[in-house]
Amino acid sequence: MTINGSTEQQTDTRDLDTAASETTPADPKAHNSAATNEAKRKAEDPADAESKDADTRARTGRPRSVSLSLRSLVIGVVIVLLIAAVATLGWLYIGARDQLHAQAVQSANDSHAEKIALDYAVNAATMDYKDLQTWKVKLVQGTSPELNNKLTAAGTSMEQVLVPLQWSSSARPLVAKVRSNTGGIYVIDCFVSVDTKTIQSPDPLQSTATYSTTIDSNNNWLITDVGGIGSALQSK
């Protein structure tokens, strides 16, 4: 009995020692060593560590978090605002440039129409009864076919008055101004100073002749209508 009791007591003692060894926590030094080795591995190979971390996240099902700093957000907003400002300035520049170009073209066209009208008025008011053919040629110069026919007939009729009066006149341009422009059809008022001599007034008489000239810029800038031809014959 005594032997058996001793044996049982020794067996119980071994069982207790085994259980104690199984529940004894791992050596802290060993755990710290493993953590240190893992940190060294990540420091030596960041890409491999990141890859393994990604695999770990994929296995655990946790989504990868993305952090956006306030500085990056501010920079993004500033870039967007700069792009918008540049686009707005570009649009305003193009609009202003087109407007200035249109104004320059319009001003050039007005000046061209005024010059055509004033040159015509000077030629129409300059005549010499000794050479009325030259005057009649200039009277229809630069006119449309329809107006050419009307002025040719008017010149022939006026010739019957100019020759008996021995009319001789010279003209100087004063001013021309566009009165209206509708779809490229210009109406210009012209004023010329006329010095006239006749058989009745051998000394030159000064007068101002007024012409209203219509020019079609869409038809090679031809003169389509003229008013005031008769005013050049009004001596004072």
Side-chain angles (χ1 to χ4, degrees), residues 112-135:
H112 185 57
E114 290 169 353
K115 184 178 186 305
I116 292 174
L118 195 57
D119 288 346
Y120 177 83
V122 170
N123 289 332
T126 301
M127 56 191 82
D128 184 355
Y129 75 98
K130 296 178 182 179
D131 185 16
L132 289 177
Q133 184 59 35
T134 299
W135 170 72

Side-chain angles (χ1 to χ4, degrees), residues 2 15 17 32 48 64 67 70 73 82 117 132 143 155 174 189 215:
T2 303
D15 293 340
D17 292 339
N32 292 337
D48 182 65
R64 182 178 181 180
S67 60
L70 180 60
L73 181 60
L82 286 175
L132 289 177
T143 62
L174 293 177
D189 293 327
I215 299 175

Side-chain angles (χ1 to χ4, degrees), residues 120 124-125 127 135 139 151 154 158 209-212 226-233:
Y120 177 83
M127 56 191 82
W135 170 72
L139 188 64
L151 292 176
M158 291 174 64
T210 304
Y211 296 87
S212 176
V226 177
I229 293 293
S231 64
L233 301 178

Side-chain angles (χ1 to χ4, degrees), residues 139-153 214 216 219-225:
L139 188 64
V140 299
Q141 188 175 6
T143 62
S144 63
E146 297 79 8
L147 183 60
N148 187 306
N149 295 333
K150 294 179 182 180
L151 292 176
T152 298
T214 302
D216 186 1
N219 187 20
N220 200 26
W221 296 90
L222 291 179
I223 299 172
T224 58
D225 192 20

Side-chain angles (χ1 to χ4, degrees), residues 26-42:
D27 188 356
K29 294 182 178 181
H31 177 75
N32 292 337
S33 177
T36 302
N37 292 334
E38 180 66 17
K40 289 182 178 180
R41 182 184 61 80
K42 289 184 177 181

Side-chain angles (χ1 to χ4, degrees), residues 16 20-21 75 160 163:
L16 291 175
S21 63
I75 292 175
Q160 300 175 8
V163 172

